[in-house]
Amino acid sequence: MPEWLNNAGTVFGPTMTEFTLPTPLRIIDLTMDDGAVIRVRQHGNGSAPRVILAHGNGFAIDAYYPFWQHLLDQFEVVLYDQRNHGHNPRHDVSHHVVSYFVSDMETVFQGVQEAFGRKKTAGIFHSISAITAIWHALDVAWRWDALILFDPPLVPSVDHELHEIGRDFELMLSDWSKDRPERFSGPEELGAQFRKSKSLSRWVDGAHDLMARSILRPDEDAGDWVLCCPPQGESQVYATNSRLDLCPRLGELKGPVKFITSDPDDPNARSPGLVNRALHKEFGHPYEVVPGTTHMVQVEKPAECAAIVVAFLEETGFTG
């Protein structure tokens, strides 16, 4: 494995908070329908029920370690980055859209079952991977013994009062991401930018540097570091999501399913928190707000999020 992919090690934040990412128990490379490769890592308690995790657009699941570290003793924790993110090699950027993420999820699920054995499996997905999981469950199959969705950025139908808020939020991110800086002198430069960002100020200590290390890879020819996820691909995903119309079908989710969301009453609340509250009122699915959080819920209050996840899985009998 290239050294840059080996994120096992120590990452320090501005107050010298230390994160030591564990070495995976096993690693498998899975080939998607179009030839893209997704690297899957197994952590935690291999004899326990399994949870599979993925991340939001432009991020990487290693950066959510402040959250998933709390699951390692009680679960087999299986991690994967969505195509063109994190540990995965670059593939055709024209295929970097949510429909391919959906087919990838099915290939990952089946590949994990085959490689690591069949057992109870829950999905824990944030943001665009939560959107992916909803679409997968509706149009491919319900594969989960439980499904937990962190702050999915759903866009309501055109006749919904929050449609424009949801759509415009995704289009704003699409416009921003296509022109975002792609190259940096190193993770330290990007980590420093993250720490200076007011919108990211609630992340736990050390998370900014861990995120920077997780979403960059070295370009030895150029002598700098480049984003794992190409800005064009990130932009395409936001644009794709702005046009999806999944909300009217939320009642078709078989469950057990739970939405865990950002705080819609926070002064900095954005579309996902507001939309998810409205959809809960409409469909009545299990729903819980993490007070005082914005969209990066699991990185802002990781221990609290983990406690909600464990409680839900215990309630559903998943851990029994």
Side-chain angles (χ1 to χ4, degrees):
M1 182 188 303
E3 179 60 30
W4 73 270
L5 283 176
N6 183 10
N7 280 336
T10 300
V11 180
F12 293 98
T15 57
M16 299 305 289
T17 296
E18 179 180 333
F19 289 124
T20 301
L21 274 65
T23 300
L25 301 174
R26 284 185 287 180
I27 299 173
I28 57 171
D29 284 350
L30 299 174
T31 302
M32 305 298 107
D33 292 343
D34 65 342
V37 173
I38 288 183
R39 175 160 290 158
V40 178
R41 288 91 68 197
Q42 180 196 47
H43 291 274
N45 182 349
S47 63
R50 175 180 297 140
V51 294
I52 298 180
L53 288 78
H55 55 85
N57 192 23
F59 298 120
I61 195 59
D62 279 354
Y64 292 64
Y65 175 68
F67 163 72
W68 57 259
Q69 66 175 331
H70 298 289
L71 307 178
L72 292 171
D73 290 339
Q74 198 168 350
F75 302 101
E76 175 194 349
V77 176
V78 174
L79 311 174
Y80 80 95
D81 299 301
Q82 302 199 79
R83 60 171 54 215
N84 292 319
H85 289 84
H87 287 247
N88 303 321
R90 283 272 182 101
H91 192 64
D92 186 346
V93 178
S94 69
H95 291 185
H96 194 98
V97 290
V98 186
S99 58
Y100 276 93
F101 291 179
V102 172
S103 62
D104 293 347
M105 181 171 283
E106 176 68 7
T107 302
V108 168
F109 180 88
Q110 298 297 346
V112 166
Q113 296 291 86
E114 181 177 348
F116 299 154
R118 298 190 178 275
K119 62 165 64 174
K120 281 186 178 180
T121 302
I124 303 176
F125 301 111
H126 172 246
S127 195
I128 201 62
S129 68
I131 296 292
T132 300
I134 293 170
W135 191 354
H136 173 268
L138 292 173
D139 285 349
V140 178
W142 179 266
R143 301 297 188 197
W144 312 103
D145 294 285
L147 182 59
I148 296 168
L149 306 170
F150 276 96
D151 218 37
L154 289 156
V155 177
S157 300
V158 293
D159 57 349
H160 195 284
E161 62 181 355
L162 294 181
H163 169 73
E164 290 187 3
I165 289 176
R167 180 201 62 195
D168 292 351
F169 182 65
E170 295 300 297
L171 292 178
M172 177 272 293
L173 290 172
S174 180
D175 288 341
W176 164 79
S177 58
K178 68 182 178 183
D179 296 321
R180 70 179 297 186
E182 186 174 8
R183 292 185 174 274
F184 301 86
S185 60
E188 299 79 11
E189 179 187 358
L190 182 56
Q193 291 181 15
F194 285 157
R195 290 195 299 275
K196 291 177 182 177
S197 171
K198 183 178 179 181
S199 65
L200 309 182
S201 62
R202 304 183 196 193
W203 291 14
V204 295
D205 290 342
H208 304 87
D209 296 302
L210 178 60
M211 179 65 78
R213 182 73 177 86
S214 301
I215 67 173
L216 291 175
R217 67 183 69 190
D219 184 335
E220 296 180 0
D221 293 335
D224 59 8
W225 290 64
V226 64
L227 291 173
C228 298
C229 177
Q232 176 189 344
E234 183 177 358
S235 178
Q236 288 171 177
V237 167
Y238 290 125
T240 301
N241 191 45
S242 75
R243 300 188 295 269
L244 294 182
D245 192 21
L246 299 174
C247 296
R249 301 180 61 194
L250 290 180
E252 299 175 30
L253 293 174
K254 296 180 179 179
V257 61
K258 182 160 188 173
F259 288 61
I260 303 173
T261 77
S262 58
D263 189 345
D265 294 318
D266 189 89
N268 295 314
R270 304 301 292 268
S271 168
L274 299 172
V275 169
N276 277 292
R277 176 171 60 183
L279 293 174
H280 167 67
K281 292 179 180 178
E282 183 174 350
F283 292 98
H285 47 259
Y287 162 88
E288 187 163 347
V289 169
V290 184
T293 60
T294 59
H295 185 54
M296 292 300 290
V297 186
Q298 294 145 289
V299 183
E300 295 177 351
K301 293 194 174 181
E304 293 87 339
C305 288
I308 295 171
V309 166
V310 172
F312 176 68
L313 293 178
E314 288 176 347
E315 291 168 9
T316 63
F318 178 80
T319 57

